[in-house]
Structures are given as C-alpha cells and as structure tokens.
Amino acid sequence: MANLNTLDVFFSSQTFQEEELRKKIVVVIDVLRASSTIITALMNQAKGIIPVEDMGEASRISQSVDSDNLLLCGEKDGVKIEGYDLGNSPLEYSVDRVKDKTLIFNTTNGTKAIKKAVGSSNLYIGSFLNLSTIVHTLNEEQKDIVLICAGWRGRMAIEDLLFAGNVIYNLGNGTLPHEARDGSKVAFGLYEKFRENISDVIHRSNHAERLKEIAGDQDLDYCAQRDICDILPVLNDGIITNLYG
C-alpha cells in the first residue's frame, strides 16, 4: 500500500532539487499536454520516446538514431517547433504517424520536469488518460512517492495539481491522514472541491486559455478524459516505453 504520510507533491519542476528524489517513486504530470501526448503515442504503438530539454539535445540525439524510424516532436510556447514532424497535440499522434517509431520529444514544461527527475528510483508518466493504472501501480509500491506537477514556466498549473489530488484521493479511498505532507493536503483539498467539475476546471485554467488560441478546444476535451487506456509509461536508460507493452 502507498504510504500517504510520506507522499509528497511538487507544484512545478522548479520547486524541488534532484537529490530530493533519490530512491523514490516519481510520477511526472503534465496534463496539458506532454503527459497526455506521451501516453497517446505509446497507446498508438510508438516504439519509445526520448525526452530532451532543448532543441540542441534533440539535434545531437537525432544524428545518432536510425532516421528512417525517427520523428522529431515537440513545441515551444505551445507551438510546434519549425522543422519538427509533430507538435505537442496528442491528436497528432495517430497509429499511422507513430507506430514503430522512436520519438525525440521536446516540450516547454513536461520534458524538462522528466529530465530533472531522472535520478529517481522509478519514473512514470501520468495524466487523466491513465489515472487508474497510475493509482494501481503506486498502490503496489513500497518506496516513498513523489508526484511532480510540470506546471507552466515555474508556475502552478491547476490541471496538474487536480490530477495529483485525484491520485491521492483514490489511493486513500477518499481520506487523507493528518500526518500527510502539505503538498498532498493542498492537492487533495483542491480535488475534493472540484472533483465533480474536472473537465470544466481544465477548460477554464490559465494554461487552457493559452492553448485555446493555438489549438482550440479539441486537445482540452481529449486531455480531460479519464481512463481511456492502461498504458504505463516508464523511463529507463533515457527512453520512455510502456511497461505493460
């Protein structure tokens, strides 16, 4: 069973130091949109996803990988990077585009959080799309757990924190111990308040307002869905694959 007394939540990738994650189980959360896109790519049979921090790292890696089965993917400030094959809309990652491909993935917030957390014991990727799979996996873990919200440029993103709260709520069957960490209490309380209106809260979030101007509402509708798959993305040796694939 997950230990909710020690489970911690960080509100952005700038609110923790790498050493705080040593020997811990980490879930990186970027609901809009990196986590949702990674899960969708694996659901549609991508071979693996290599997260990078910037275009320079993406370029270096692309030169050492079989280009026939490689796609450069990602965004900067929500917009597809010029010259890349795909952006960061999960709706772009269809079976026809990604099956059996290795994706180099570069985003403004999500992949930076992943790269900063590589020193953890196990690193999973979570969003509402694979909620129950994340909860089931964490319930089986014996180590301390950290939920990392990618946020947006160092700021809190309410959709990430809502997902963290949903995970904690489900792990505790709707209760939270008094000894829980402050971050867990905030996430849990936020989810309790808004749990009947998750999709509406996501659509009204600050990050959603930015995305609507770039991608409309379709990505928001997609990312607000719960449990559409049992994909469990896990990072090993620099590449994200589906643990159950």
Side-chain angles (χ1 to χ4, degrees):
M1 292 288 291
N3 185 349
L4 295 186
N5 289 334
T6 59
L7 188 152
D8 213 345
V9 180
F10 294 118
F11 296 168
S12 82
S13 60
Q14 296 182 22
T15 57
F16 67 92
Q17 300 299 319
E18 289 91 331
E19 56 266 22
E20 295 180 81
L21 307 181
R22 305 298 180 203
K23 299 182 180 179
K24 295 182 180 179
I25 305 298
V26 165
V27 180
V28 174
I29 304 159
D30 188 357
V31 172
L32 298 177
R33 298 168 287 176
S35 291
S36 302
T37 298
I38 288 168
I39 292 162
T40 301
L42 293 174
M43 183 170 65
N44 288 330
Q45 303 174 58
K47 183 177 180 181
I49 299 152
I50 302 171
V52 298
E53 283 194 67
D54 52 42
M55 286 183 279
E57 185 182 4
S59 179
R60 289 192 298 274
I61 293 174
S62 68
Q63 295 171 16
S64 63
V65 178
D66 177 12
S67 59
D68 290 338
N69 293 301
L70 177 72
L71 295 175
L72 275 172
C73 309
E75 51 76 24
K76 184 175 182 181
D77 297 327
V79 179
K80 187 177 84 166
I81 298 169
E82 185 176 354
Y84 275 31
D85 299 291
L86 298 171
N88 190 25
S89 168
L91 301 179
E92 296 180 77
Y93 289 70
S94 63
V95 175
D96 290 344
R97 295 304 305 274
V98 304
K99 183 178 180 181
D100 298 327
K101 302 288 187 180
T102 297
L103 316 180
I104 297 178
F105 195 46
N106 173 24
T107 71
T108 304
N109 305 293
T111 58
K112 290 178 175 58
I114 294 168
K115 293 289 286 186
K116 192 173 178 181
V118 294
S120 57
S121 175
N122 294 75
L123 194 159
Y124 304 117
I125 309 297
S127 84
F128 288 105
L129 306 182
N130 69 340
L131 169 67
S132 291
T133 300
I134 290 293
V135 171
H136 173 76
T137 301
L138 296 182
N139 252 328
E140 300 297 315
E141 297 287 1
Q142 302 299 316
K143 298 179 181 178
D144 288 346
I145 296 166
V146 177
L147 307 179
I148 296 176
C149 302
W152 188 81
R153 295 193 173 280
R155 301 178 184 179
M156 185 199 80
I158 194 170
E159 64 277 3
D160 295 344
L161 199 54
L162 275 173
F163 175 77
N166 199 163
V167 169
I168 297 165
Y169 187 93
N170 288 11
L171 286 171
N173 294 314
T175 63
L176 188 68
H178 295 298
E179 298 82 2
R181 302 275 178 93
D182 289 351
S184 293
K185 290 176 180 176
V186 171
F188 183 91
L190 188 72
Y191 175 73
E192 267 199 319
K193 180 176 177 59
F194 292 114
R195 64 193 178 102
E196 301 299 331
N197 301 292
I198 294 293
S199 180
D200 185 57
V201 174
I202 290 174
H203 277 73
R204 293 174 182 271
S205 69
N206 294 161
H207 195 18
E209 292 299 328
R210 289 186 288 266
L211 286 176
K212 285 176 186 177
E213 298 182 7
I214 299 166
D217 287 333
Q218 284 187 308
D219 280 2
L220 305 178
D221 293 337
Y222 180 84
C223 294
Q225 298 176 101
R226 293 199 221 191
D227 286 327
I228 68 168
C229 67
D230 58 1
I231 300 294
L232 182 63
V234 60
L235 180 73
N236 279 313
D237 298 326
I239 187 164
I240 299 168
T241 57
N242 178 22
L243 187 63
Y244 298 147

